Amino acid sequence: MTLHDFSIWEVLFLICFAVSWPISIIKALRTKVVIGKSPIFMALVILGYIFGIIHKMLYSRDIVIFLYVFNALLVSIDLFLYFLFIGKNKRDLQQNQ
């Protein structure tokens, strides 16, 4: 694995997402409201990161692979929080109707 043969644009792309997902996670932890989030979307994003990891392992081994893993972990946490809170959110919504 090389430390310097990578695209700065790929790194910047992954850093932008690495900053964005914690905002979503913190909001879910603070409010415990996940209505409006899409678990299918999050699962597809995780799948995309997995494909990025596979590509890095097969064709372009460099340190950027860790950003893919980190981002996949962040989205996985957000998806976990979705399933943790969605039941209560749906019950609260039914009670308020």
Side-chain angles (χ1 to χ4, degrees):
M1 189 176 317
T2 62
L3 297 177
H4 57 328
D5 283 340
F6 56 84
S7 167
I8 189 65
W9 304 113
E10 183 180 26
V11 170
L12 292 172
F13 156 74
L14 290 165
I15 288 173
C16 285
F17 279 95
V19 170
S20 301
W21 286 111
I23 293 168
S24 180
I25 292 167
I26 290 166
K27 182 179 177 188
L29 287 170
R30 191 182 42 202
T31 65
K32 297 183 177 28
V33 175
V34 294
I35 297 268
K37 289 188 179 190
S38 170
I40 294 171
F41 172 77
M42 288 187 279
L44 286 171
V45 170
I46 293 167
L47 184 61
Y49 285 131
I50 290 169
F51 290 151
I53 292 165
I54 291 169
H55 171 78
K56 286 293 181 186
M57 291 175 70
L58 295 178
Y59 302 108
S60 183
R61 287 186 178 222
D62 57 42
I63 198 156
V64 179
I65 195 170
F66 294 110
L67 288 173
Y68 281 98
V69 172
F70 181 65
N71 277 294
L73 177 65
L74 289 173
V75 182
S76 297
I77 291 168
D78 205 18
L79 185 59
F80 170 79
L81 292 174
Y82 173 85
F83 288 112
L84 183 66
F85 297 133
I86 193 62
K88 183 180 182 318
N89 287 182
K90 286 182 179 179
R91 284 190 301 275
D92 290 348
L93 189 61
Q94 287 174 348
Q95 288 176 354
N96 291 332
Q97 289 180 349

